[in-house]
Amino acid sequence: MSFAAVEPSQALEFRVRGRVQGVGFRPTVWRMARELGLAGEVLNDGEGVLVRVSGAQSRIAALLRRIERSPPPLAHIDSIERRRYSGRLPQEFRIAESIGGPARTQVAPDAALCGACAAELRDPGQRRYRYPFINCTHCGPRLSIVTAVPYDRATTTMAPFALCAACEAEYRNPNDRRFHAEAVACPSCGPTASLVAFGQAGAPRDGGPDAVKIVAGLIARGDIIAVKGLGGYHLACDAISPEAVARLRRLKRRDAKPFALMARDLAVIRRYCVIDAVEERELTSVKAPIVLLRATGPERLPEAIAPGLDTLGFMLPTTPLHLLLVDQFEQPLVMTSGNISDEPAVVDDAEAYRQLAEIASFALTHNRAIANRVDDSVVRVMAGRSRVLRRARGYAPAPLRLPNGFENAPDLLAMGGELKATFCLVKDGQAILSQHQGDLENAATLDDYKKNFALYRSMFDHAPSAIVVDRHPEYLSSKLGRAEADTRALPLIEVQHHHAHVAACLAENGRPLHAPPALGIVLDGLGFGDDGAIWGGEFLLADYLGYERLARLKPVAMPGGAQAVREPWRNLYAHLKAAGAFDATLSASGDWSALNGKPLATIDRMIAQGLNSPFASSCGRLFDAVAAALSVCADRQAYEGEAAARLEALAAAAAPNATRGYALRITESELIDIDAAPMWRAILDDLRQGVTAQTIARRFHLGLAQSITEVAMRLAAARRFETVALSGGCFQNRLLFESVYEGLCEAGFTVLTHADAPANDGGLSLGQAAIGAAHLMRTDMTRDGKDGACASASPAASFA
C-alpha cells in the first residue's frame, strides 16, 4: 500500500510596500488567494498592504509569484518582506478592515480611461452608457482630486456625491473592479457634465447626455470650446480648420508655441504621423502622455499647429468626457492648456469664466472640483526609449527609488529651479518628484507651487531635516527655500545648477552613492557657475558629493543679458565677433542678413565695456546664434527654445548625404575649450556657395556632437572614467542626443541618460535631493546643524 505525501501547512505574513493602496491591490490578492484555496486575510495599514496567509507551502509560493508578476495596472511594488505568522487566521480568505499607523503609502497618479470602462461607456446596455465620469480601480482621477490623506472618498472632491445603492454595492464587493474605487459614480449619484455659454452673467447650464453632442457640433462649425479636463481646463477646436487654429492663437496670445492634439484612436494619428512600437506603447499606456511624433504621415495639418517644426504632439483621450467628444470626429482636435499664454492652466470654474470667456464661446464643464492642477505630460522617444520632457499627469506623484547607499537618507526638501519648476521630497529612501509646476516668474504659478508643496508635505507626512536650493541668488525657488530654512531653523544646502543635472541623471539610473565619479555632460541654456559667470556647456567629473569642471564650450558674451535670450541676433553677432568672422564692410551684401539694421556699434560698446554682457558657455545660446545665421527666429523667439527647435526641424529635413559635421576647435589649457570659431567661417563659406539651410543646420548638429565625443575621449584618457551621464535641456533635441549617445557608445563608454525624469530643469530638484542627501549623510547635519547654518555643496578639489 502506498500513501500520497501530504504537504505541510504554514502561515506567513507579507508586507507589501509601494503604490498599493487605492489601486485594487487588496481585491486582486483576495481573488488570487481564493483561487489557490488559501486561508487568511489582506488589509491596508499605514505602511502599505499586509497579506497574512496559511496553507500549503507551494500554494503560498504561487500566490507570491502571482502578486509579483501580475499586480493591478496602477500598482507599483517597491518591496515585499516576508516572515512567519503565528496569529489566528480566518478559514476563508477575506479582506480585513484597515488598521492605522503613520502615512507611508503612496497616492497614485491620475490614470487614463481603461479598456473595460471605455467598452462600458460605448455599450447601450450598461447603466453607465455615455456617462462622462465612468471609472474603476484601474483608471480615473487620483492626485487631481486629493485634498488630504488618507486617500479615501471623504478626502477627495468626490465627497459631495453620496453613492447610490448600486454603486455602493460595487464599492463593497471585492469581486468587482470598482471595489474601493474612491471616484466611483454613475448618472444617478455622480458628477454631471454641462454646457455653459461664456460671457453671460449667471449663464444657465445645459446638462444631460446631449451636452457633449452639442459641443461637438459647436467645434465642427468653428467654435473654440473650453473643456474641463482631469487636472485643468483645455481649449479645444477643430485641428483641420486653419481659421479656428489661427483664431485660437490670436485670442490665447500664443504666437508660435505648438498646440497639443487629441485624436480618438491611433488610426487617426497615423494619417498625420509615423508611430513606432515604443511610441504606440506610450500613447496607449495608463499615463496617456502627449507624445512628440514625426509629422511624416500622408496628410498634413495647418502649419499654425506647430509652426516651423517637424513634430506634432498627440495624445489619446485621457478621460471619458474627452473620449465622448473626440469619438464624434474623424479628425484630431487641438487640445491645448486652458489659459492665456504663460499663465498656468485654469482649474477653478469661476476663474475659467473670467479668463477664458475672451477665448472660448462655450465651456464643456462639470461639477467635480479639481483639487490640484496637473498638466498633461510630454514624452519623446529617442534612441529607442521613451523620455519624459514634462512630468505631470500619469507620472506624479509616483516616487523614484534612490540608488544603493541612500536607504537611510534623512527626509529633506529640494526646491528645484525657476523654469519648468518642480520640487522633490526625500522620504524612506525614495525621491518624490512633484508634477511640473511651470515658470515661477508667473505669480499664479508661484502660488500653485506653494500650495502643492503644502499638499505633498501633508500627503507624505513629511518633515524635512534640511532644505536644498539652487545656488543662483535670484531664483524664486531658492529664495523660498532660504526663507523656509530660516523660518524652521533648518540647514540650507546650496547646489550648483549643472552638478544637480548630473546628479539627477546618476540617481535616475541607480548609480550607487559610493560609485566612482562619472563624466557629466550638461548642455542647457543658463546656470549660475562657481565663478559667478553663466555656465551652459559643461563637462563635470562628478559624483553626489562634488564635481570638477574639466571642459566647457568657450564662453561668449551675451549682449543685453536676458534680452539676448529673447533676440537670437544678439548671440549671432557676439559669436561672429568672438570668432573674427564678421566683416562690417561685407555684411551689408547679405552674408549675415539677420544683422542688417541692427545697432551693432552699440553692441560693440556694451561688450567692450562689459555693460550687461555677461560671458556664457551656454549651448542654448550657440543654438540661437546658428539659427539666427539661417534667419530662423533671428529677431525674436516667441517661446523658450523656439530657435533651437526650428533649427532641429531644419536639420531633420536635410538630404541623407549631408553627414559631414563642421569642425570645432578643441584647445587645452586649465580647461578644455570647445571653440566654435572654425565653424562660423565654414558656415559663411556654405552660405556664399548656396548650401541649403537644412544642410547647414545638420552639419552644425553633427559637428557639435563629434566635438563632444572627442572631448569625452580625451578626458577619459587622462582621468580614467568609463561612465558618461548626459543631461540638460539641449538633450531634448533628438538629432543632437542620438548623435552624442551613439558616438559615446561606439567609443566604449557606459552612457547614462534620462527617461523617467526630465533632462531639462524639470529634473533639477531630483539631482538637488540626491546631492543634499549625500551631504547630510556625510556630515550628519541633521544632528549638528540645527542652527540653520548654510552648508554649500562645493566642487571637489580634485578627483585625481
Side-chain angles (χ1 to χ4, degrees):
M1 181 182 291
S2 63
F3 296 91
V6 177
E7 189 174 356
S9 179
Q10 65 176 170
L12 295 177
E13 179 179 82
F14 303 143
R15 150 77 60 209
V16 188
R17 301 184 192 274
R19 190 167 66 245
V20 292
Q21 292 187 8
V23 293
F25 202 91
R26 288 177 301 160
T28 297
V29 172
W30 178 81
R31 286 190 291 272
M32 291 174 175
R34 289 172 72 92
E35 288 170 3
L36 289 166
L38 295 168
E41 62 188 8
V42 58
L43 64 147
N44 286 337
D45 72 353
E47 297 188 41
V49 167
L50 277 177
V51 183
R52 295 164 177 162
V53 61
S54 67
Q57 182 175 347
S58 62
R59 297 194 177 194
I60 293 177
L63 174 64
L64 184 58
R65 284 196 301 272
R66 289 192 189 184
I67 291 172
E68 291 175 328
R69 295 173 183 175
S70 304
L74 301 187
H76 181 84
I77 298 173
D78 290 331
S79 64
I80 300 179
E81 303 159 10
R82 65 200 78 180
R83 64 180 182 181
R84 293 196 176 276
Y85 185 73
S86 57
R88 297 188 62 174
L89 290 174
Q91 292 303 302
E92 189 173 75
F93 200 90
R94 68 174 186 176
I95 296 176
E97 290 294 321
S98 300
I99 57 177
R104 298 183 67 182
T105 55
Q106 302 170 12
V107 174
D110 299 287
L113 185 68
C114 71
C117 284
E120 265 190 82
L121 186 72
R122 289 167 165 151
D123 185 351
Q126 297 292 329
R127 69 188 186 93
R128 292 186 177 90
Y129 173 59
R130 293 187 57 78
Y131 180 57
F133 306 97
I134 187 172
N135 70 90
C136 71
T137 312
H138 303 150
C139 66
R142 297 292 197 282
L143 175 62
S144 61
I145 61 171
V146 169
T147 57
V149 290
Y151 171 66
D152 58 36
R153 195 179 185 91
T155 55
T156 72
T157 57
M158 288 299 296
F161 303 99
L163 291 173
C164 67
C167 286
E168 178 82 22
E170 292 170 331
Y171 184 84
R172 301 294 176 192
N173 180 5
N175 224 4
D176 194 287
R177 75 173 195 280
R178 293 189 170 92
F179 178 74
H180 280 244
E182 305 303 341
V184 64
C186 75
S188 299
C189 64
T192 56
S194 303
L195 173 65
V196 176
F198 275 160
Q200 302 176 23
R205 292 171 175 262
D206 182 2
D210 290 334
V212 176
K213 286 187 176 181
I214 295 170
V215 166
L218 295 171
I219 290 175
R221 79 178 190 186
D223 282 15
I224 298 168
I225 305 295
V227 180
K228 190 174 183 180
L230 203 60
Y233 273 84
H234 288 114
L235 288 167
C237 73
D238 186 351
I240 66 172
S241 168
E243 296 79 15
V245 174
R247 190 167 70 258
L248 178 57
R249 282 215 174 274
R250 175 173 53 82
L251 294 174
K252 187 175 160 69
R253 300 201 289 273
R254 187 168 179 167
D255 293 348
K257 196 172 183 179
F259 285 143
L261 299 162
M262 182 178 284
R264 69 182 186 190
D265 54 33
L266 294 173
V268 172
I269 300 176
R270 284 194 171 98
R271 285 162 42 197
Y272 306 95
C273 298
V274 171
I275 308 174
D276 68 22
V278 181
E279 291 162 342
E280 179 175 337
R281 186 182 69 215
E282 291 301 310
L283 285 164
T284 57
S285 71
V286 295
K287 301 178 180 73
I290 297 168
V291 181
L292 298 188
L293 304 169
R294 291 154 292 182
T296 53
E299 299 182 36
R300 293 287 178 269
L301 290 171
E303 169 70 12
I305 296 288
L309 304 183
D310 66 334
T311 57
L312 293 170
F314 265 105
M315 59 181 158
L316 292 175
T318 54
T319 73
L321 184 67
H322 286 100
L323 180 58
L324 289 171
L325 180 59
V326 298
D327 248 357
Q328 299 177 69
F329 291 91
E330 296 288 338
Q331 71 270 21
L333 301 182
V334 169
M335 198 65 68
T336 189
S337 55
N339 57 359
I340 301 294
S341 188
D342 298 327
E343 295 281 328
V346 172
V347 297
D348 179 72
D349 295 340
E351 187 64 25
Y353 303 153
R354 286 192 294 270
Q355 278 202 34
L356 304 182
E358 296 181 0
I359 305 174
S361 50
F362 296 88
L364 177 58
T365 185
H366 56 77
N367 57 343
R368 185 183 70 203
I370 298 171
N372 306 299
R373 179 182 291 109
V374 187
D375 291 307
D376 295 317
S377 295
V378 181
V379 306
R380 189 176 196 183
V381 174
M382 299 187 291
R385 189 176 178 190
S386 177
R387 302 174 191 279
V388 175
L389 308 186
R390 185 169 74 196
R391 192 176 190 271
R393 177 184 51 74
Y395 294 85
L400 303 171
R401 179 157 291 279
L402 289 171
N404 291 340
F406 286 94
E407 293 83 359
N408 298 316
D411 291 5
L412 60 81
L413 168 65
M415 304 297 288
E418 185 160 276
L419 303 180
K420 301 179 176 65
T422 61
F423 56 81
C424 185
L425 314 182
V426 170
K427 187 174 178 68
D428 299 330
Q430 297 186 114
I432 303 160
L433 193 61
S434 78
Q435 70 266 38
H436 167 86
Q437 307 284 301
D439 297 346
L440 299 185
E441 294 171 332
N442 178 276
T445 302
L446 183 61
D447 288 343
D448 205 44
Y449 176 95
K450 295 175 183 176
K451 170 184 171 292
N452 286 324
F453 162 56
L455 172 71
Y456 273 63
R457 189 165 56 190
S458 169
M459 282 197 307
F460 294 97
D461 190 29
H462 190 263
S465 58
I467 307 294
V468 192
V469 300
D470 190 279
R471 193 172 290 166
H472 196 296
E474 296 302 318
Y475 275 6
L476 290 173
S477 57
S478 298
K479 290 180 177 180
L480 282 174
R482 293 186 185 100
E484 184 81 9
D486 185 59
T487 299
R488 294 170 162 237
L490 293 173
L492 179 74
I493 301 173
E494 295 184 334
V495 174
Q496 198 279 325
H497 188 91
H498 299 93
H499 184 204
H501 270 300
V502 179
C505 189
L506 298 178
E508 181 186 341
N509 284 276
R511 183 82 168 173
L513 174 60
H514 300 296
L519 180 69
I521 302 176
V522 187
L523 306 181
D524 65 357
L526 304 172
F528 191 72
D530 295 327
D531 53 3
I534 295 172
W535 293 6
E538 309 306 315
F539 294 71
L540 307 178
L541 189 62
D543 60 13
Y544 299 107
L545 288 170
Y547 60 94
E548 186 178 358
R549 193 186 193 199
L550 302 182
R552 64 184 180 182
L553 295 182
K554 185 176 180 180
V556 175
M558 284 177 54
Q563 196 68 12
V565 178
R566 294 186 286 270
E567 299 177 355
W569 69 266
R570 293 171 179 265
N571 297 297
L572 171 61
Y573 185 61
H575 273 270
L576 293 176
K577 291 290 285 188
F582 181 82
D583 186 333
T585 62
L586 297 176
S587 179
S589 67
D591 284 339
W592 309 110
S593 58
L595 302 179
N596 290 344
K598 299 298 190 291
L600 303 184
T602 300
I603 300 297
D604 285 336
R605 288 193 296 272
M606 291 173 65
I607 295 175
Q609 298 173 26
L611 296 175
N612 194 23
S613 299
F615 275 74
S617 56
S618 170
C619 187
R621 303 292 77 78
L622 177 60
F623 267 86
D624 290 349
V626 175
L630 301 178
S631 298
V632 174
C633 303
D635 290 338
R636 185 181 70 91
Q637 296 196 76
Y639 59 91
E640 183 200 8
E642 180 188 11
R646 288 185 177 231
L647 190 66
E648 180 190 359
L650 275 179
N657 61 354
T659 55
R660 174 178 61 83
Y662 292 124
L664 282 74
R665 182 185 302 126
I666 299 172
T667 60
E668 298 191 39
S669 55
E670 184 178 350
L671 287 174
I672 291 180
D673 275 346
I674 299 178
D675 185 355
M679 178 195 77
W680 289 111
R681 299 186 186 95
I683 289 177
L684 178 57
D685 289 342
D686 278 353
L687 286 170
R688 288 175 172 172
Q689 293 173 24
V691 175
T692 66
Q694 291 86 345
T695 297
I696 293 173
R698 185 170 182 83
R699 287 177 178 172
F700 160 66
H701 280 80
L702 298 180
L704 179 59
Q706 289 157 9
S707 298
I708 291 167
T709 302
E710 182 177 343
V711 168
M713 293 172 66
R714 290 194 191 188
L715 292 174
R719 305 306 293 268
R720 305 292 182 185
F721 56 84
E722 298 177 348
T723 301
V724 179
L726 305 182
S727 192
C730 292
F731 281 122
Q732 294 176 159
N733 179 309
R734 180 172 181 161
L735 177 58
L736 178 66
F737 173 82
E738 292 184 342
S739 298
V740 171
Y741 179 80
E742 291 167 8
L744 291 172
C745 289
E746 288 173 3
F749 292 106
T750 298
V751 186
L752 308 180
T753 61
H754 288 280
D756 294 327
N760 59 46
D761 282 7
L764 204 63
S765 63
L766 172 61
Q768 292 172 350
I771 292 169
H775 276 266
L776 287 171
M777 288 188 288
R778 185 183 69 168
T779 62
D780 198 19
M781 288 172 56
T782 54
R783 188 169 61 239
D784 302 328
K786 292 295 186 180
D787 58 356
C790 175
S792 178
S794 303
S798 176
F799 285 120

